[in-house]
Amino acid sequence: MKDILKNLNKAFENKIRLGIMSALIVNDYLDFNTLKSLLDVTDGNLASHLKSLEKSGYIKFSKEFIGRKPNTKYSVCEEGKIAFSKHIKAIEQLLH
């Protein structure tokens, strides 16, 4: 049991961060407004959780302009894929 629990990652305990990672794992990238809509959160709430995942090295972002509007796209880094996979596997093991 201890081995399973050590693979649970505190970065993904929050449901918003879990939702961000789940959405980004199955997509090459998502922009800020798409994530905001999918997760039904405020700009500030989403931004703080994205920043937390970025500081952990799990996601990265790129900025571009569409016309005159800025567009920020987010994607999962390799380290994030590995950490999230371990986290999900630990949850699956706990459920079996």
Side-chain angles (χ1 to χ4, degrees):
M1 180 68 118
K2 283 184 181 181
D3 287 341
I4 295 171
L5 292 176
K6 76 176 182 183
N7 286 323
L8 290 175
N9 190 322
K10 285 203 174 282
F12 309 130
E13 284 181 358
N14 180 282
K15 73 177 186 174
I16 295 170
R17 286 190 292 256
L18 185 66
I20 291 167
M21 290 300 292
S22 297
L24 291 178
I25 283 286
V26 298
N27 291 282
D28 291 335
Y29 64 86
L30 290 172
D31 66 29
F32 186 89
N33 287 330
T34 302
L35 283 168
K36 182 178 145 186
S37 176
L38 278 172
L39 301 170
D40 193 28
V41 293
T42 64
D43 287 7
N45 201 352
L46 179 57
S48 67
H49 289 291
L50 288 167
K51 189 163 191 83
S52 173
L53 290 169
E54 182 192 341
K55 280 185 177 179
S56 297
Y58 296 152
I59 66 170
K60 59 186 176 184
F61 69 92
S62 64
K63 290 186 180 243
E64 62 185 26
F65 283 88
I66 298 176
R68 293 184 160 191
K69 289 188 170 192
N71 186 37
T72 307
K73 293 180 180 179
Y74 295 89
S75 59
V76 178
C77 298
E78 193 59 36
E79 186 177 338
K81 289 178 185 176
I82 293 166
F84 193 67
S85 177
K86 279 185 183 178
H87 183 76
I88 296 301
K89 285 178 184 170
I91 291 171
E92 289 171 346
Q93 289 175 331
L94 285 172
L95 296 175
H96 287 296

